[in-house]
Amino acid sequence: MDTLSLNHHAQAPDYNKHPEALCGMAEKYIKEKHPTLLAVCFDNPDHVGHQAGHDTPEYYAKLKELDGYVGRIIQAVTEAGMLKETIFIVTADHGGIEKGHGGKTMQEMQTPFIISGKDIKKGGEFHESMMQYDVASTIAHIFGLKQPQVWIGRPMLQVFK
Ligand SMILES: [Zn+2]
């Protein structure tokens, strides 16, 4: 991430010692600053994937823990009075297989893309292919921005009402 393009950047303390710190920082920032765009990046599933392996009980336990943090972040947005105008995206930068990633199997290349909120169709599912850089195009579309000529991403227009 290019931190020069951000107006705020913060790193949570060691996850293993303070597992709730990042979520707490996000909740506080949302309630105090009402951000226009916020990314909360949990990197711990990557570590569990390398240590215990992907597709293991430990990995799914970590995802369940993260699911709780997503719930808390949605609650913080609600308490900030921003729920009706907010769009949530949950995604990842890679999948994994056994204790690694970076190869060309679908388990390593496929990631979730979940989008929900203002003007997003409910309960839908699309089957078109999507690439990582399409996430940025979709976000640019949400903000009504014309994407730079050099971008090759496509906004996922089918998710909108
Ligand atoms: Zn990794």
mmCIF file of all heavy atoms in Angstrom, residues 66-87:
data_model
loop_
_atom_site.group_PDB
_atom_site.id
_atom_site.type_symbol
_atom_site.label_atom_id
_atom_site.label_comp_id
_atom_site.label_asym_id
_atom_site.label_seq_id
_atom_site.Cartn_x
_atom_site.Cartn_y
_atom_site.Cartn_z
ATOM 1 N N LEU A 66 -12.317 -13.393 12.807
ATOM 2 C CA LEU A 66 -12.387 -12.190 11.971
ATOM 3 C C LEU A 66 -13.829 -11.802 11.677
ATOM 4 O O LEU A 66 -14.158 -10.621 11.609
ATOM 5 C CB LEU A 66 -11.650 -12.392 10.644
ATOM 6 C CG LEU A 66 -10.135 -12.446 10.678
ATOM 7 C CD1 LEU A 66 -9.584 -12.342 9.277
ATOM 8 C CD2 LEU A 66 -9.559 -11.354 11.549
ATOM 9 N N ASP A 67 -14.689 -12.796 11.528
ATOM 10 C CA ASP A 67 -16.105 -12.530 11.282
ATOM 11 C C ASP A 67 -16.682 -11.696 12.433
ATOM 12 O O ASP A 67 -17.479 -10.782 12.209
ATOM 13 C CB ASP A 67 -16.852 -13.852 11.119
ATOM 14 C CG ASP A 67 -18.269 -13.642 10.633
ATOM 15 O OD1 ASP A 67 -18.431 -12.984 9.586
ATOM 16 O OD2 ASP A 67 -19.204 -14.130 11.287
ATOM 17 N N GLY A 68 -16.239 -12.008 13.651
ATOM 18 C CA GLY A 68 -16.681 -11.220 14.807
ATOM 19 C C GLY A 68 -16.211 -9.772 14.711
ATOM 20 O O GLY A 68 -16.952 -8.841 15.057
ATOM 21 N N TYR A 69 -14.990 -9.558 14.208
ATOM 22 C CA TYR A 69 -14.476 -8.192 14.049
ATOM 23 C C TYR A 69 -15.265 -7.443 12.970
ATOM 24 O O TYR A 69 -15.529 -6.246 13.100
ATOM 25 C CB TYR A 69 -12.988 -8.198 13.697
ATOM 26 C CG TYR A 69 -12.111 -8.833 14.755
ATOM 27 C CD1 TYR A 69 -10.968 -9.540 14.417
ATOM 28 C CD2 TYR A 69 -12.436 -8.720 16.108
ATOM 29 C CE1 TYR A 69 -10.168 -10.125 15.383
ATOM 30 C CE2 TYR A 69 -11.639 -9.315 17.080
ATOM 31 C CZ TYR A 69 -10.505 -10.015 16.711
ATOM 32 O OH TYR A 69 -9.724 -10.589 17.670
ATOM 33 N N VAL A 70 -15.631 -8.147 11.907
ATOM 34 C CA VAL A 70 -16.459 -7.513 10.859
ATOM 35 C C VAL A 70 -17.774 -7.042 11.477
ATOM 36 O O VAL A 70 -18.223 -5.919 11.229
ATOM 37 C CB VAL A 70 -16.712 -8.494 9.681
ATOM 38 C CG1 VAL A 70 -17.737 -7.920 8.714
ATOM 39 C CG2 VAL A 70 -15.403 -8.794 8.955
ATOM 40 N N GLY A 71 -18.361 -7.889 12.316
ATOM 41 C CA GLY A 71 -19.603 -7.507 12.997
ATOM 42 C C GLY A 71 -19.420 -6.271 13.857
ATOM 43 O O GLY A 71 -20.267 -5.367 13.866
ATOM 44 N N ARG A 72 -18.293 -6.211 14.562
ATOM 45 C CA ARG A 72 -18.023 -5.039 15.415
ATOM 46 C C ARG A 72 -17.822 -3.785 14.574
ATOM 47 O O ARG A 72 -18.247 -2.682 14.968
ATOM 48 C CB ARG A 72 -16.791 -5.318 16.286
ATOM 49 C CG ARG A 72 -17.109 -6.204 17.479
ATOM 50 C CD ARG A 72 -15.884 -6.613 18.262
ATOM 51 N NE ARG A 72 -15.042 -5.487 18.659
ATOM 52 C CZ ARG A 72 -13.906 -5.620 19.365
ATOM 53 N NH1 ARG A 72 -13.508 -6.829 19.742
ATOM 54 N NH2 ARG A 72 -13.191 -4.559 19.677
ATOM 55 N N ILE A 73 -17.181 -3.910 13.432
ATOM 56 C CA ILE A 73 -16.954 -2.746 12.564
ATOM 57 C C ILE A 73 -18.289 -2.253 11.994
ATOM 58 O O ILE A 73 -18.543 -1.042 11.943
ATOM 59 C CB ILE A 73 -15.926 -3.098 11.467
ATOM 60 C CG1 ILE A 73 -14.530 -3.220 12.120
ATOM 61 C CG2 ILE A 73 -15.919 -2.057 10.349
ATOM 62 C CD1 ILE A 73 -13.467 -3.825 11.239
ATOM 63 N N ILE A 74 -19.157 -3.179 11.607
ATOM 64 C CA ILE A 74 -20.489 -2.787 11.124
ATOM 65 C C ILE A 74 -21.254 -2.070 12.249
ATOM 66 O O ILE A 74 -21.915 -1.056 12.017
ATOM 67 C CB ILE A 74 -21.271 -4.018 10.612
ATOM 68 C CG1 ILE A 74 -20.597 -4.562 9.348
ATOM 69 C CG2 ILE A 74 -22.738 -3.670 10.350
ATOM 70 C CD1 ILE A 74 -21.119 -5.901 8.877
ATOM 71 N N GLN A 75 -21.121 -2.575 13.460
ATOM 72 C CA GLN A 75 -21.773 -1.931 14.611
ATOM 73 C C GLN A 75 -21.219 -0.522 14.830
ATOM 74 O O GLN A 75 -21.979 0.414 15.116
ATOM 75 C CB GLN A 75 -21.585 -2.801 15.865
ATOM 76 C CG GLN A 75 -22.267 -2.272 17.112
ATOM 77 C CD GLN A 75 -23.776 -2.119 16.961
ATOM 78 O OE1 GLN A 75 -24.423 -2.881 16.243
ATOM 79 N NE2 GLN A 75 -24.348 -1.095 17.595
ATOM 80 N N ALA A 76 -19.914 -0.339 14.666
ATOM 81 C CA ALA A 76 -19.303 0.993 14.831
ATOM 82 C C ALA A 76 -19.832 1.954 13.767
ATOM 83 O O ALA A 76 -20.115 3.121 14.057
ATOM 84 C CB ALA A 76 -17.777 0.886 14.744
ATOM 85 N N VAL A 77 -19.973 1.467 12.550
ATOM 86 C CA VAL A 77 -20.524 2.298 11.461
ATOM 87 C C VAL A 77 -21.967 2.677 11.793
ATOM 88 O O VAL A 77 -22.395 3.822 11.589
ATOM 89 C CB VAL A 77 -20.425 1.552 10.102
ATOM 90 C CG1 VAL A 77 -21.217 2.266 9.018
ATOM 91 C CG2 VAL A 77 -18.963 1.404 9.691
ATOM 92 N N THR A 78 -22.713 1.724 12.347
ATOM 93 C CA THR A 78 -24.107 1.988 12.749
ATOM 94 C C THR A 78 -24.146 3.068 13.830
ATOM 95 O O THR A 78 -24.914 4.028 13.734
ATOM 96 C CB THR A 78 -24.751 0.683 13.280
ATOM 97 O OG1 THR A 78 -24.637 -0.322 12.285
ATOM 98 C CG2 THR A 78 -26.223 0.907 13.621
ATOM 99 N N GLU A 79 -23.286 2.920 14.838
ATOM 100 C CA GLU A 79 -23.263 3.882 15.942
ATOM 101 C C GLU A 79 -22.785 5.258 15.477
ATOM 102 O O GLU A 79 -23.163 6.273 16.058
ATOM 103 C CB GLU A 79 -22.369 3.364 17.083
ATOM 104 C CG GLU A 79 -23.025 2.217 17.840
ATOM 105 C CD GLU A 79 -22.093 1.549 18.844
ATOM 106 O OE1 GLU A 79 -21.134 2.199 19.306
ATOM 107 O OE2 GLU A 79 -22.336 0.365 19.149
ATOM 108 N N ALA A 80 -21.986 5.287 14.417
ATOM 109 C CA ALA A 80 -21.529 6.573 13.865
ATOM 110 C C ALA A 80 -22.616 7.219 12.993
ATOM 111 O O ALA A 80 -22.422 8.319 12.476
ATOM 112 C CB ALA A 80 -20.252 6.365 13.049
ATOM 113 N N GLY A 81 -23.748 6.515 12.828
ATOM 114 C CA GLY A 81 -24.854 7.060 12.036
ATOM 115 C C GLY A 81 -24.599 7.013 10.541
ATOM 116 O O GLY A 81 -25.201 7.760 9.768
ATOM 117 N N MET A 82 -23.700 6.116 10.114
ATOM 118 C CA MET A 82 -23.283 6.077 8.705
ATOM 119 C C MET A 82 -23.767 4.837 7.957
ATOM 120 O O MET A 82 -23.408 4.644 6.791
ATOM 121 C CB MET A 82 -21.742 6.106 8.643
ATOM 122 C CG MET A 82 -21.126 7.348 9.254
ATOM 123 S SD MET A 82 -19.356 7.102 9.604
ATOM 124 C CE MET A 82 -18.735 6.748 7.977
ATOM 125 N N LEU A 83 -24.551 3.997 8.603
ATOM 126 C CA LEU A 83 -24.867 2.697 7.997
ATOM 127 C C LEU A 83 -25.566 2.831 6.646
ATOM 128 O O LEU A 83 -25.232 2.124 5.697
ATOM 129 C CB LEU A 83 -25.715 1.854 8.959
ATOM 130 C CG LEU A 83 -25.942 0.411 8.491
ATOM 131 C CD1 LEU A 83 -24.635 -0.368 8.434
ATOM 132 C CD2 LEU A 83 -26.933 -0.308 9.390
ATOM 133 N N LYS A 84 -26.549 3.762 6.557
ATOM 134 C CA LYS A 84 -27.345 3.871 5.327
ATOM 135 C C LYS A 84 -26.532 4.356 4.131
ATOM 136 O O LYS A 84 -26.921 4.138 2.993
ATOM 137 C CB LYS A 84 -28.530 4.819 5.560
ATOM 138 C CG LYS A 84 -29.649 4.147 6.332
ATOM 139 C CD LYS A 84 -30.921 4.962 6.320
ATOM 140 C CE LYS A 84 -32.032 4.203 7.023
ATOM 141 N NZ LYS A 84 -32.898 5.050 7.811
ATOM 142 N N GLU A 85 -25.401 5.030 4.388
ATOM 143 C CA GLU A 85 -24.605 5.574 3.286
ATOM 144 C C GLU A 85 -23.318 4.786 3.053
ATOM 145 O O GLU A 85 -22.468 5.203 2.261
ATOM 146 C CB GLU A 85 -24.275 7.047 3.571
ATOM 147 C CG GLU A 85 -23.552 7.233 4.887
ATOM 148 C CD GLU A 85 -23.327 8.690 5.265
ATOM 149 O OE1 GLU A 85 -22.832 9.439 4.434
ATOM 150 O OE2 GLU A 85 -23.643 9.041 6.421
ATOM 151 N N THR A 86 -23.180 3.650 3.739
ATOM 152 C CA THR A 86 -21.914 2.903 3.686
ATOM 153 C C THR A 86 -22.017 1.660 2.805
ATOM 154 O O THR A 86 -23.059 1.019 2.755
ATOM 155 C CB THR A 86 -21.482 2.513 5.123
ATOM 156 O OG1 THR A 86 -21.215 3.716 5.857
ATOM 157 C CG2 THR A 86 -20.222 1.655 5.123
ATOM 158 N N ILE A 87 -20.934 1.374 2.112
ATOM 159 C CA ILE A 87 -20.785 0.120 1.373
ATOM 160 C C ILE A 87 -19.606 -0.634 1.989
ATOM 161 O O ILE A 87 -18.525 -0.060 2.172
ATOM 162 C CB ILE A 87 -20.529 0.378 -0.132
ATOM 163 C CG1 ILE A 87 -21.765 1.041 -0.754
ATOM 164 C CG2 ILE A 87 -20.174 -0.923 -0.861
ATOM 165 C CD1 ILE A 87 -21.585 1.445 -2.208
#
